[in-house]
Amino acid sequence: MSSKTITMFGADWCRDCIRTKKQLDELGVEYTYVDLVADPASADVARDISGRTNIPVVLYPDSSHQVEPSNADVEAKLRELSLI
């Protein structure tokens, strides 16, 4: 994972994941999506990052992360990082 990239760990059955993915798409933010259904082993990576099993896990370029973030939380972080 590049240190200049947002990485989102999620699954297509997760409503919070669908919402966060849609928000990133609508804001035109580039990110890497890790589909935990297609790549179940990546769930361990997401858990190692967050210390939790909840998704989505959004990993930011500054190495911070959010778990199950609200749209407002994501937008605030993207503004903090000058990504929007």
Side-chain angles (χ1 to χ4, degrees):
M1 288 174 255
S2 168
S3 61
K4 296 181 181 179
T5 304
I6 292 172
T7 302
M8 179 185 152
F9 297 85
D12 60 1
W13 50 262
C14 167
R15 285 181 288 167
D16 288 332
C17 299
I18 293 165
R19 177 183 45 76
T20 301
K21 192 170 188 280
K22 180 180 180 208
Q23 180 185 21
L24 293 172
D25 289 341
E26 288 177 351
L27 291 171
V29 175
E30 290 190 36
Y31 64 98
T32 301
Y33 180 70
V34 180
D35 183 346
L36 300 178
V37 173
D39 184 8
S42 289
D44 291 335
V45 176
R47 187 181 64 244
D48 289 346
I49 292 167
S50 70
R52 299 168 56 185
T53 57
N54 306 61
I55 55 175
V57 173
V58 183
L59 179 62
Y60 294 97
D62 66 354
S63 298
S64 68
H65 70 275
Q66 295 175 323
V67 181
E68 294 183 308
S70 69
N71 284 3
D73 291 339
V74 172
E75 183 174 342
K77 187 63 182 182
L78 293 174
R79 288 191 188 285
E80 175 189 321
L81 295 173
S82 299
L83 296 172
I84 58 170

